[in-house]
Amino acid sequence: MLTRIFETHAHMDSPCYAGDLDAVMNKQKELGVNGIITSGSELPSSKRSVELADKYDFVYATVGIYPNETANLPEDYIEQLRTMAKNSSKVVAIGEIGMDYGFEGHPDPAIQEKCFREQLELAIELDLPVVIHDRDADEDTLRIIKDYNIRGEIH
């Protein structure tokens, strides 16, 4: 049996788990998983991730807007993320944020960058690490993060 395993990037709010999430979580514990960080990728999934973290003692959450979800955000999206992060001690990072040019029809890079920068600033304000997503956007991602004193992980 594995012991002391910590899953650092999961999407436990996925609909594929909805029917038997309690069984999935119990199985994770049985297999030796001591912790799971479930990542938000837009406002509803960030909210669900926080709810899961608050429900399960070994689950933690990130809140954030995935780069391919940056078009058509409400004006108050940063305030919504801030509120989620401040209202739960189980929120451990801002993410999944970043830049993604890997999909046809991706949001305009300027929109992605604006949202990425706003979330990096939120992470600094809240003294939280970041979970950065980068697909086919290495140069822009690195150019942007050089402007900030952040900590976290990138994939």
Side-chain angles (χ1 to χ4, degrees), residues 4-149:
R4 299 186 299 189
I5 300 299
F6 199 104
E7 167 60 65
T8 63
H9 189 100
H11 294 278
M12 300 310 298
D13 70 304
S14 171
C16 70
Y17 300 119
D20 60 350
L21 185 59
D22 285 333
V24 169
M25 292 301 205
N26 288 333
K27 186 68 169 176
Q28 296 303 306
K29 280 191 128 175
E30 287 173 22
L31 293 172
V33 176
N34 290 341
I36 297 173
I37 297 175
T38 185
S39 295
S41 56
E42 22 86 353
L43 291 171
S45 73
S46 291
K47 183 176 187 248
R48 288 190 306 270
S49 292
V50 173
E51 290 168 351
L52 290 173
D54 288 340
K55 179 177 179 179
Y56 297 98
D57 66 338
F58 70 116
V59 175
Y60 302 87
T62 71
V63 296
I65 307 299
Y66 185 77
N68 287 324
E69 300 294 335
T70 55
N72 304 313
L73 286 169
E75 285 187 31
D76 70 340
Y77 85 95
I78 285 291
E79 185 55 39
Q80 290 186 53
L81 293 174
R82 179 183 291 113
T83 298
M84 284 182 235
K86 284 182 152 185
N87 287 344
S88 175
S89 62
K90 302 285 290 285
V91 173
V92 295
I94 301 298
E96 177 175 3
I97 64 176
M99 303 292 288
D100 190 328
Y101 304 156
F103 292 105
E104 189 174 320
H106 60 73
D108 183 297
I111 292 170
Q112 291 187 46
E113 181 171 339
K114 178 182 181 292
C115 187
F116 187 23
R117 286 183 180 277
E118 290 171 346
Q119 292 178 96
L120 290 169
E121 290 168 11
L122 179 63
I124 292 167
E125 171 193 329
L126 299 177
D127 193 29
L128 288 171
V130 292
V131 176
I132 297 174
H133 171 92
D134 169 19
R135 180 178 297 139
D136 296 337
D138 297 349
E139 288 181 21
D140 284 345
T141 299
L142 292 173
R143 173 182 55 79
I144 293 163
I145 64 175
K146 286 179 182 177
D147 291 342
Y148 299 90
N149 183 20

